[in-house]
Every structure is written in structure tokens, then in C-alpha cells.
Amino acid sequence: FKTIFEYFQRLAEHTINTNIVVMNLLVNLILFLPMGMAIPVLFEKKINKFWEFLLFIIFITFLVEMIQFITLSGSADIDDIILNTIGGCIGYGIVQLKFVRKLLKLDKQ
């Protein structure tokens, strides 16, 4: 959490542009939100429990960070894994809402 804590500390000290913090944190959260929504829909028969989804999304985010590290593109950071995982979990939570499941025709009538 070093980067996240540093952001909040620098925000409190007014030594960083708020847009930088918002963009970095929100982008990492929002980036995996669609995936968090898609995984339960695409793998409905295989991923039935939250912990199965959680393991899968952690694996995918770790894989993305490892690819960034190996290819020297972007920056590989544990904070990104955490934020991407949280974003994926938010997406998963959205798909679990009753009206969304009805809209996507996921609930059997």
C-alpha cells in the first residue's frame, strides 16, 4: 500500500495534484470493473462462488502485472493488483444485484 498511502499523505500535505491521485486510483479500479462483470456471465457454470471469482481475478491481475514487468511496459506494482482486484470485485457485485441479473437474464424464472 506504499503508493496509496503516499498519495493520501501528499494530498493531506497539498504536495500533489489531486487529478494525479484520482486518475491513478480510479483508473486502476475502473479498469477491471468490466472484467468483474463479464467473468460471472461468461463462466456462469464454472465460477459459482465469490471465492472462486476472487482467485480468478487475482490471478488475472497478477498475470497482467507480470506481463508489464517482463515487457518493461507500464509499472508493475502490488497496489495495482489490489486496486484492480477491488475493481473486479465491484463489477462482480454489480452483476450479483437482482435487477442486473434479471436484465442479463441470468436468473432462471
PDB file of all heavy atoms in Angstrom, residues 75-92:
ATOM      1  N   SER A  75       4.133   0.084 -15.192  1.00  0.00           N
ATOM      2  CA  SER A  75       4.854  -0.184 -13.947  1.00  0.00           C
ATOM      3  C   SER A  75       4.138  -1.291 -13.195  1.00  0.00           C
ATOM      4  O   SER A  75       2.930  -1.229 -12.979  1.00  0.00           O
ATOM      5  CB  SER A  75       4.936   1.080 -13.082  1.00  0.00           C
ATOM      6  OG  SER A  75       3.650   1.478 -12.680  1.00  0.00           O
ATOM      7  N   ALA A  76       4.871  -2.313 -12.843  1.00  0.00           N
ATOM      8  CA  ALA A  76       4.312  -3.426 -12.082  1.00  0.00           C
ATOM      9  C   ALA A  76       4.318  -3.025 -10.606  1.00  0.00           C
ATOM     10  O   ALA A  76       5.338  -2.632 -10.063  1.00  0.00           O
ATOM     11  CB  ALA A  76       5.135  -4.686 -12.307  1.00  0.00           C
ATOM     12  N   ASP A  77       3.137  -3.114  -9.976  1.00  0.00           N
ATOM     13  CA  ASP A  77       3.010  -2.628  -8.610  1.00  0.00           C
ATOM     14  C   ASP A  77       1.947  -3.444  -7.885  1.00  0.00           C
ATOM     15  O   ASP A  77       0.878  -3.705  -8.434  1.00  0.00           O
ATOM     16  CB  ASP A  77       2.616  -1.148  -8.651  1.00  0.00           C
ATOM     17  CG  ASP A  77       2.678  -0.452  -7.310  1.00  0.00           C
ATOM     18  OD1 ASP A  77       2.997  -1.105  -6.304  1.00  0.00           O
ATOM     19  OD2 ASP A  77       2.413   0.756  -7.280  1.00  0.00           O
ATOM     20  N   ILE A  78       2.223  -3.843  -6.653  1.00  0.00           N
ATOM     21  CA  ILE A  78       1.257  -4.604  -5.865  1.00  0.00           C
ATOM     22  C   ILE A  78       0.000  -3.775  -5.619  1.00  0.00           C
ATOM     23  O   ILE A  78      -1.107  -4.317  -5.551  1.00  0.00           O
ATOM     24  CB  ILE A  78       1.877  -5.108  -4.535  1.00  0.00           C
ATOM     25  CG1 ILE A  78       0.946  -6.082  -3.822  1.00  0.00           C
ATOM     26  CG2 ILE A  78       2.192  -3.951  -3.616  1.00  0.00           C
ATOM     27  CD1 ILE A  78       0.771  -7.393  -4.503  1.00  0.00           C
ATOM     28  N   ASP A  79       0.147  -2.453  -5.522  1.00  0.00           N
ATOM     29  CA  ASP A  79      -1.025  -1.589  -5.360  1.00  0.00           C
ATOM     30  C   ASP A  79      -1.975  -1.732  -6.546  1.00  0.00           C
ATOM     31  O   ASP A  79      -3.195  -1.712  -6.384  1.00  0.00           O
ATOM     32  CB  ASP A  79      -0.616  -0.123  -5.211  1.00  0.00           C
ATOM     33  CG  ASP A  79       0.096   0.159  -3.898  1.00  0.00           C
ATOM     34  OD1 ASP A  79       0.081  -0.717  -3.013  1.00  0.00           O
ATOM     35  OD2 ASP A  79       0.661   1.252  -3.754  1.00  0.00           O
ATOM     36  N   ASP A  80      -1.416  -1.879  -7.747  1.00  0.00           N
ATOM     37  CA  ASP A  80      -2.252  -2.079  -8.934  1.00  0.00           C
ATOM     38  C   ASP A  80      -3.031  -3.386  -8.833  1.00  0.00           C
ATOM     39  O   ASP A  80      -4.199  -3.443  -9.208  1.00  0.00           O
ATOM     40  CB  ASP A  80      -1.407  -2.073 -10.200  1.00  0.00           C
ATOM     41  CG  ASP A  80      -0.837  -0.704 -10.531  1.00  0.00           C
ATOM     42  OD1 ASP A  80      -1.267   0.281  -9.900  1.00  0.00           O
ATOM     43  OD2 ASP A  80       0.037  -0.628 -11.403  1.00  0.00           O
ATOM     44  N   ILE A  81      -2.373  -4.428  -8.353  1.00  0.00           N
ATOM     45  CA  ILE A  81      -3.056  -5.719  -8.190  1.00  0.00           C
ATOM     46  C   ILE A  81      -4.222  -5.558  -7.215  1.00  0.00           C
ATOM     47  O   ILE A  81      -5.328  -6.036  -7.472  1.00  0.00           O
ATOM     48  CB  ILE A  81      -2.076  -6.814  -7.715  1.00  0.00           C
ATOM     49  CG1 ILE A  81      -1.055  -7.117  -8.806  1.00  0.00           C
ATOM     50  CG2 ILE A  81      -2.830  -8.089  -7.319  1.00  0.00           C
ATOM     51  CD1 ILE A  81       0.051  -8.064  -8.393  1.00  0.00           C
ATOM     52  N   ILE A  82      -3.968  -4.866  -6.112  1.00  0.00           N
ATOM     53  CA  ILE A  82      -5.011  -4.662  -5.105  1.00  0.00           C
ATOM     54  C   ILE A  82      -6.166  -3.849  -5.684  1.00  0.00           C
ATOM     55  O   ILE A  82      -7.338  -4.231  -5.566  1.00  0.00           O
ATOM     56  CB  ILE A  82      -4.420  -3.991  -3.853  1.00  0.00           C
ATOM     57  CG1 ILE A  82      -3.438  -4.936  -3.162  1.00  0.00           C
ATOM     58  CG2 ILE A  82      -5.528  -3.558  -2.886  1.00  0.00           C
ATOM     59  CD1 ILE A  82      -2.537  -4.266  -2.146  1.00  0.00           C
ATOM     60  N   LEU A  83      -5.855  -2.722  -6.320  1.00  0.00           N
ATOM     61  CA  LEU A  83      -6.901  -1.859  -6.869  1.00  0.00           C
ATOM     62  C   LEU A  83      -7.652  -2.534  -8.013  1.00  0.00           C
ATOM     63  O   LEU A  83      -8.883  -2.425  -8.107  1.00  0.00           O
ATOM     64  CB  LEU A  83      -6.307  -0.529  -7.328  1.00  0.00           C
ATOM     65  CG  LEU A  83      -5.803   0.377  -6.213  1.00  0.00           C
ATOM     66  CD1 LEU A  83      -4.990   1.530  -6.791  1.00  0.00           C
ATOM     67  CD2 LEU A  83      -6.953   0.894  -5.365  1.00  0.00           C
ATOM     68  N   ASN A  84      -6.944  -3.238  -8.884  1.00  0.00           N
ATOM     69  CA  ASN A  84      -7.606  -3.953  -9.979  1.00  0.00           C
ATOM     70  C   ASN A  84      -8.524  -5.044  -9.440  1.00  0.00           C
ATOM     71  O   ASN A  84      -9.622  -5.254  -9.956  1.00  0.00           O
ATOM     72  CB  ASN A  84      -6.581  -4.559 -10.937  1.00  0.00           C
ATOM     73  CG  ASN A  84      -5.816  -3.511 -11.711  1.00  0.00           C
ATOM     74  OD1 ASN A  84      -6.216  -2.364 -11.803  1.00  0.00           O
ATOM     75  ND2 ASN A  84      -4.697  -3.904 -12.269  1.00  0.00           N
ATOM     76  N   THR A  85      -8.067  -5.742  -8.408  1.00  0.00           N
ATOM     77  CA  THR A  85      -8.886  -6.784  -7.787  1.00  0.00           C
ATOM     78  C   THR A  85     -10.139  -6.181  -7.163  1.00  0.00           C
ATOM     79  O   THR A  85     -11.243  -6.720  -7.322  1.00  0.00           O
ATOM     80  CB  THR A  85      -8.075  -7.569  -6.732  1.00  0.00           C
ATOM     81  OG1 THR A  85      -6.947  -8.175  -7.386  1.00  0.00           O
ATOM     82  CG2 THR A  85      -8.913  -8.639  -6.072  1.00  0.00           C
ATOM     83  N   ILE A  86      -9.990  -5.065  -6.475  1.00  0.00           N
ATOM     84  CA  ILE A  86     -11.153  -4.389  -5.881  1.00  0.00           C
ATOM     85  C   ILE A  86     -12.124  -3.950  -6.985  1.00  0.00           C
ATOM     86  O   ILE A  86     -13.335  -4.135  -6.860  1.00  0.00           O
ATOM     87  CB  ILE A  86     -10.720  -3.190  -5.011  1.00  0.00           C
ATOM     88  CG1 ILE A  86      -9.986  -3.685  -3.766  1.00  0.00           C
ATOM     89  CG2 ILE A  86     -11.920  -2.333  -4.626  1.00  0.00           C
ATOM     90  CD1 ILE A  86      -9.296  -2.588  -2.965  1.00  0.00           C
ATOM     91  N   GLY A  87     -11.591  -3.405  -8.070  1.00  0.00           N
ATOM     92  CA  GLY A  87     -12.437  -3.016  -9.199  1.00  0.00           C
ATOM     93  C   GLY A  87     -13.185  -4.205  -9.774  1.00  0.00           C
ATOM     94  O   GLY A  87     -14.382  -4.115 -10.075  1.00  0.00           O
ATOM     95  N   GLY A  88     -12.493  -5.332  -9.923  1.00  0.00           N
ATOM     96  CA  GLY A  88     -13.146  -6.550 -10.403  1.00  0.00           C
ATOM     97  C   GLY A  88     -14.237  -7.007  -9.451  1.00  0.00           C
ATOM     98  O   GLY A  88     -15.320  -7.420  -9.871  1.00  0.00           O
ATOM     99  N   CYS A  89     -13.977  -6.903  -8.154  1.00  0.00           N
ATOM    100  CA  CYS A  89     -14.972  -7.301  -7.148  1.00  0.00           C
ATOM    101  C   CYS A  89     -16.191  -6.385  -7.183  1.00  0.00           C
ATOM    102  O   CYS A  89     -17.323  -6.848  -6.982  1.00  0.00           O
ATOM    103  CB  CYS A  89     -14.346  -7.319  -5.754  1.00  0.00           C
ATOM    104  SG  CYS A  89     -13.172  -8.668  -5.522  1.00  0.00           S
ATOM    105  N   ILE A  90     -15.981  -5.104  -7.438  1.00  0.00           N
ATOM    106  CA  ILE A  90     -17.116  -4.188  -7.584  1.00  0.00           C
ATOM    107  C   ILE A  90     -17.963  -4.604  -8.783  1.00  0.00           C
ATOM    108  O   ILE A  90     -19.191  -4.649  -8.703  1.00  0.00           O
ATOM    109  CB  ILE A  90     -16.629  -2.727  -7.715  1.00  0.00           C
ATOM    110  CG1 ILE A  90     -16.009  -2.264  -6.394  1.00  0.00           C
ATOM    111  CG2 ILE A  90     -17.771  -1.803  -8.144  1.00  0.00           C
ATOM    112  CD1 ILE A  90     -15.272  -0.935  -6.487  1.00  0.00           C
ATOM    113  N   GLY A  91     -17.304  -4.938  -9.886  1.00  0.00           N
ATOM    114  CA  GLY A  91     -18.031  -5.425 -11.068  1.00  0.00           C
ATOM    115  C   GLY A  91     -18.799  -6.695 -10.765  1.00  0.00           C
ATOM    116  O   GLY A  91     -19.956  -6.848 -11.171  1.00  0.00           O
ATOM    117  N   TYR A  92     -18.174  -7.605 -10.041  1.00  0.00           N
ATOM    118  CA  TYR A  92     -18.836  -8.848  -9.639  1.00  0.00           C
ATOM    119  C   TYR A  92     -20.077  -8.525  -8.797  1.00  0.00           C
ATOM    120  O   TYR A  92     -21.148  -9.102  -9.001  1.00  0.00           O
ATOM    121  CB  TYR A  92     -17.868  -9.716  -8.840  1.00  0.00           C
ATOM    122  CG  TYR A  92     -18.457 -11.002  -8.330  1.00  0.00           C
ATOM    123  CD1 TYR A  92     -18.428 -12.156  -9.107  1.00  0.00           C
ATOM    124  CD2 TYR A  92     -19.017 -11.081  -7.063  1.00  0.00           C
ATOM    125  CE1 TYR A  92     -18.952 -13.347  -8.635  1.00  0.00           C
ATOM    126  CE2 TYR A  92     -19.552 -12.264  -6.583  1.00  0.00           C
ATOM    127  CZ  TYR A  92     -19.514 -13.395  -7.374  1.00  0.00           C
ATOM    128  OH  TYR A  92     -20.044 -14.571  -6.904  1.00  0.00           O
TER     129      TYR A  92
END
